[in-house]
Amino acid sequence: MDWGITLNVRDSIQGVVEKSQIADSGGLEYIWIADFPSTKYAPVVASVVAQTSKTSKIGIGLVSTLLYDVETVVQAMSTLIESHGERFELLLGPGDRLGLKKCGISFGEASTIVERVLTASKRIKSGLEKEGHRCPIWLGAQGPKMIEASTAVDGVLLNYANPEMIKWSLGLLANHPNDFRVGIFPPTLISEKMREKDMSSFYYSTAVVFLGLVRSVAEKFDLSEQLDEARTKLKTGGFTQELVKSIKTPILDMFGVSKNLEEIKEYEEAIRKLGISLLVSGPPQGLTTELVESLVRVKQQR
Amino acid sequence: MKPKATGWIAENADGLGVDTVWIGEDIGIGQETFILSAVTLMKTQQVRVGTGIIPMTIHNISTLARAALTLQEIGKGRFAFGTGIGGLQDLQKLGITLKKPVTELRSTVEILQKLWHGDSVSAETELHSLNDYDLRLKEPVEIPVFLGVRGPQMLRLTGTIAQGAILSGPFDYLRDATKILDTAAKKAGRAPSAVEKVAWLPTIPTFKGGKEILAKRVVAIVVGDMPEKVLDLIDMDREKLDRIRIAVAASGPKEGAEHVDQEVIDMFAIAGGREHMVDQFENLSKLGMTEVVLGPPFSGDWRGAMTEIFDEIVRRKA
């Protein structure tokens, strides 16, 4: 299974360079560069990473097809490939609804969002192929419609960590093409020893995913009641540490990967058997140099 | 331009004595400007790298703010953000129209400056909408803004709020534009020298494989496209210019070029031998230009020509 790390969430450029060099020399197969709402523009950061690292593939995204038009994305990916070689992959999706609203971008009709993302993704794929560039395209997905739609591109990155949820997602992909890839990109904390500060960041990230859970999925996994309760608290009191603490830990654990060396071996084997071929470590794993080093060490020792 | 060509410029810019590498966005064509700027910044140690220009009309303002912020951090003070409305014909093709372009450009620059200052911004303009958006900065970031402008209102705006102007037009126009910029700067309580003046004219060496006929054709196109208001500023036989415009409109630049002589070339472009081109740079400096762009069209052995021109500049500076 390939391993990746998400960078550029809150990093300085120097921070991204240092962490990507650790990831690259440590044998991580992927470095993913987060885009909006990160304040650093991912295609530029990806160019810097390509110039300062050697072998890791560089994923860009999630890139919002609502924020950027098709031509802009094709031009950016073409430039990266022409300048630095075919090291790049692209993760597409609608993006962060609240963040986009702040920039005057409306989500539009919710019932058509999957179709609009898919149309844009197909056009981007076709545009890159016309330019003669190989650039695998992934869709970021959580809801069943987006998961099903993803078979039109090269892979799907699921926003899940729980094996039961992953298994359910894969059931929606029954007829995917042979070379189609399925990965996960949950909040992640993989380390030899867990520090309280890192666990706190981990649960913060998992709470964000849980609060954004698609309604039909919440119902499917009998989480509606807890979700409604948490969302009510979010509306009245905002996103606070108290809110995170009020969500039961077993629920938060469903939405992230928090494992030590022994646990990750077992977990990796379990999801590999399900058909997962890529584990992209989301925050907090990439937030500090120490955690990126931990990830590399665990990967090498497992 | 292909990465091989832009790569050569980036790799040689410091050694040639270039002050700034300006990278323009040709909407939908060529390399992505922000990435090319990053590549150039990473390959150089001393030169400034500027976007020249990014049309602010075709990007979300958050993208402009974020991309410039990223490049500023990469360049550690060597990045300049050049922007403008963009070419009218390009915008029309995209269905973009602006009722008040000067107001829009002013608003865009002011919003960007607030975001880089670390403020949270809510604003509604003709093109942009922000609702309590900020860049989560720990401290303000200074990014010089250069505006690609032409008309007097735009020039006054630039003299008032920007750190530089990117100007394109005949020599006589550049002389007048400088006066407007300086007057506006003074009126805003700024020193005229606070506003850099970058002249961006067609530069066509006619040595190292460069051909005079290309210079004439390029100038014919420029004359053909030049607004009447700008032509009115030029101290030159107007009939001569009209003959070029008529020929270009009727039969194309090849025919228009037949009416272009050295006087017309020297008004609208920088073309000729190495020494003549550098003489023209010096003439632009006398008009108040603080920087001259050696730019497209690139033809013949343009690398060799560029090297010789910069050698001549360095020799004269010494």
Side-chain angles (χ1 to χ4, degrees), chain A residues 9-15 17 34-45 47-48 51-52 67-69 71-72 75-77 79-80 82-84 99-105, chain B residues 2-3 25-36 38-40 42-43 58-63 65-67 69-71 73-74 76 121 129-137:
Chain A
V9 176
R10 287 177 223 150
D11 293 298
S12 64
I13 294 293
Q14 189 55 34
V17 168
D35 192 55
F36 187 87
S38 299
T39 54
K40 306 285 163 56
Y41 181 58
V44 165
V45 179
S47 171
V48 173
Q51 291 173 77
T52 53
L67 178 60
Y68 305 107
D69 62 40
E71 291 74 20
T72 300
Q75 190 181 31
M77 296 312 297
T79 302
L80 284 170
E82 286 164 15
S83 301
H84 310 299
L100 290 171
K101 190 178 173 190
K102 286 184 167 203
C103 299
I105 303 214
Chain B
K2 292 285 178 194
E25 176 170 13
D26 207 351
I27 299 174
I29 300 168
Q31 298 180 62
E32 201 266 2
T33 312
F34 293 124
I35 297 170
L36 182 51
V39 171
T40 309
M42 294 284 286
K43 283 186 177 170
I58 61 165
H59 300 279
N60 186 280
I61 195 163
S62 66
T63 304
R66 291 167 54 235
L69 179 72
T70 312
L71 289 164
E73 196 176 322
I74 294 167
K76 299 184 178 109
V121 179
S129 172
L130 289 180
N131 309 295
D132 198 19
Y133 178 72
D134 72 274
L135 294 171
R136 288 179 276 170
L137 296 180

Side-chain angles (χ1 to χ4, degrees), chain A residues 22-213:
Chain A
I22 293 166
D24 185 53
S25 60
L28 294 192
E29 285 82 4
Y30 281 87
I31 296 163
W32 284 87
I33 308 297
D35 192 55
F36 187 87
S38 299
T39 54
K40 306 285 163 56
Y41 181 58
V44 165
V45 179
S47 171
V48 173
V49 170
Q51 291 173 77
T52 53
S53 65
K54 290 175 184 166
T55 54
S56 297
K57 290 175 186 167
I58 301 169
I60 299 175
L62 191 143
V63 166
S64 167
T65 55
L66 301 180
L67 178 60
Y68 305 107
D69 62 40
V70 167
E71 291 74 20
T72 300
V73 178
V74 172
Q75 190 181 31
M77 296 312 297
S78 297
T79 302
L80 284 170
I81 292 165
E82 286 164 15
S83 301
H84 310 299
E86 290 188 333
R87 291 177 68 185
F88 299 93
E89 303 197 6
L90 184 60
L91 171 63
L92 298 170
D96 178 72
R97 184 192 290 252
L98 287 175
L100 290 171
K101 190 178 173 190
K102 286 184 167 203
C103 299
I105 303 214
S106 160
F107 238 59
E109 184 58 50
S111 63
T112 64
I113 189 70
V114 172
E115 190 186 330
R116 283 181 280 140
V117 170
L118 190 62
T119 303
S121 302
K122 285 177 180 172
R123 287 182 57 211
I124 289 167
K125 186 173 163 62
S126 149
L128 286 165
E129 282 169 0
K130 266 186 204 162
E131 295 288 328
H133 299 315
R134 191 186 166 279
C135 175
I137 291 176
W138 303 72
L139 280 194
Q142 188 189 66
K145 286 182 187 169
M146 193 68 89
I147 294 172
E148 284 172 341
S150 67
T151 55
V153 292
D154 303 299
V156 62
L157 276 183
L158 301 168
N159 202 196
Y160 291 119
N162 177 281
E164 283 305 309
M165 290 177 150
I166 293 171
K167 195 174 174 183
W168 165 78
S169 303
L170 289 162
L172 300 166
L173 294 166
N175 298 318
H176 66 71
N178 285 339
D179 54 354
F180 184 78
R181 293 190 68 188
V182 186
I184 58 172
F185 72 116
T188 306
L189 183 57
I190 296 172
S191 182
E192 298 96 330
K193 53 181 178 182
M194 302 295 172
R195 294 185 305 184
E196 196 180 326
K197 190 180 76 174
D198 298 330
M199 286 305 295
S200 174
S201 297
F202 172 74
Y203 283 125
Y204 182 96
S205 297
T206 53
V208 171
V209 179
F210 174 60
L211 285 160
L213 190 63

Side-chain angles (χ1 to χ4, degrees), chain B residues 92-107:
Chain B
Q92 278 168 3
K93 279 183 204 163
L94 295 170
I96 298 170
T97 52
L98 284 173
K99 289 179 193 161
K100 294 185 174 177
V102 181
T103 304
E104 189 65 20
L105 188 57
R106 175 190 285 276
S107 303

Side-chain angles (χ1 to χ4, degrees), chain B residues 203-245:
Chain B
T203 50
I204 311 136
T206 57
F207 58 102
K208 287 277 176 187
K211 303 253 173 29
E212 191 184 25
I213 187 63
L214 174 66
K216 288 186 172 182
R217 283 185 192 168
V218 169
V219 167
I221 293 168
V222 171
V223 173
D225 286 344
M226 196 62 62
E228 289 281 347
K229 279 183 186 172
V230 177
L231 290 179
D232 291 343
L233 298 171
I234 298 171
D235 183 17
M236 185 183 278
D237 177 7
R238 181 60 186 262
E239 283 182 17
K240 191 197 286 187
L241 297 177
D242 286 340
R243 276 196 295 278
I244 299 168
R245 286 163 74 81

Side-chain angles (χ1 to χ4, degrees), chain B residues 78-285:
Chain B
R78 290 193 291 124
F79 174 68
F81 181 68
T83 190
I85 297 292
L88 287 177
Q89 288 176 343
D90 288 333
L91 297 181
Q92 278 168 3
K93 279 183 204 163
L94 295 170
I96 298 170
T97 52
L98 284 173
K99 289 179 193 161
K100 294 185 174 177
V102 181
T103 304
E104 189 65 20
L105 188 57
R106 175 190 285 276
S107 303
T108 300
V109 172
E110 287 173 349
I111 290 169
L112 288 171
Q113 288 173 335
K114 280 181 190 169
L115 288 171
W116 295 330
H117 188 260
D119 297 349
S120 175
V121 179
S122 293
E124 287 286 339
T125 74
E126 273 192 71
L127 291 172
H128 306 299
S129 172
L130 289 180
N131 309 295
D132 198 19
Y133 178 72
D134 72 274
L135 294 171
R136 288 179 276 170
L137 296 180
K138 289 180 185 151
E139 53 189 39
V141 174
E142 292 278 337
I143 302 178
V145 173
F146 283 66
L147 298 180
V149 290
R150 177 165 277 171
Q153 278 184 287
M154 286 289 196
L155 288 164
R156 281 193 284 274
L157 172 68
T158 305
T160 307
I161 66 167
Q163 284 68 52
I166 300 172
L167 305 166
S168 184
F171 274 55
D172 286 355
Y173 159 81
L174 295 176
R175 181 198 59 223
D176 290 3
T178 304
K179 285 178 190 163
I180 297 171
L181 284 166
D182 288 352
T183 305
K186 280 182 200 163
K187 204 173 171 184
R190 312 171 73 199
S193 59
V195 184
E196 292 186 49
K197 290 105 185 168
V198 180
W200 193 322
L201 279 68
T203 50
I204 311 136
T206 57
F207 58 102
K208 287 277 176 187
K211 303 253 173 29
E212 191 184 25
I213 187 63
L214 174 66
K216 288 186 172 182
R217 283 185 192 168
V218 169
V219 167
I221 293 168
V222 171
V223 173
D225 286 344
M226 196 62 62
E228 289 281 347
K229 279 183 186 172
V230 177
L231 290 179
D232 291 343
L233 298 171
I234 298 171
D235 183 17
M236 185 183 278
D237 177 7
R238 181 60 186 262
E239 283 182 17
K240 191 197 286 187
L241 297 177
D242 286 340
R243 276 196 295 278
I244 299 168
R245 286 163 74 81
I246 290 164
V248 171
S251 313
K254 193 177 169 187
E255 283 68 22
E258 289 171 13
H259 303 278
V260 174
D261 60 17
Q262 195 60 43
E263 186 192 19
V264 179
I265 291 176
D266 284 344
M267 178 59 74
F268 289 90
I270 302 166
R274 180 188 64 196
E275 295 208 345
H276 181 70
M277 287 183 75
V278 180
D279 287 346
Q280 288 288 77
F281 291 166
E282 288 181 346
N283 289 333
L284 283 167
S285 174

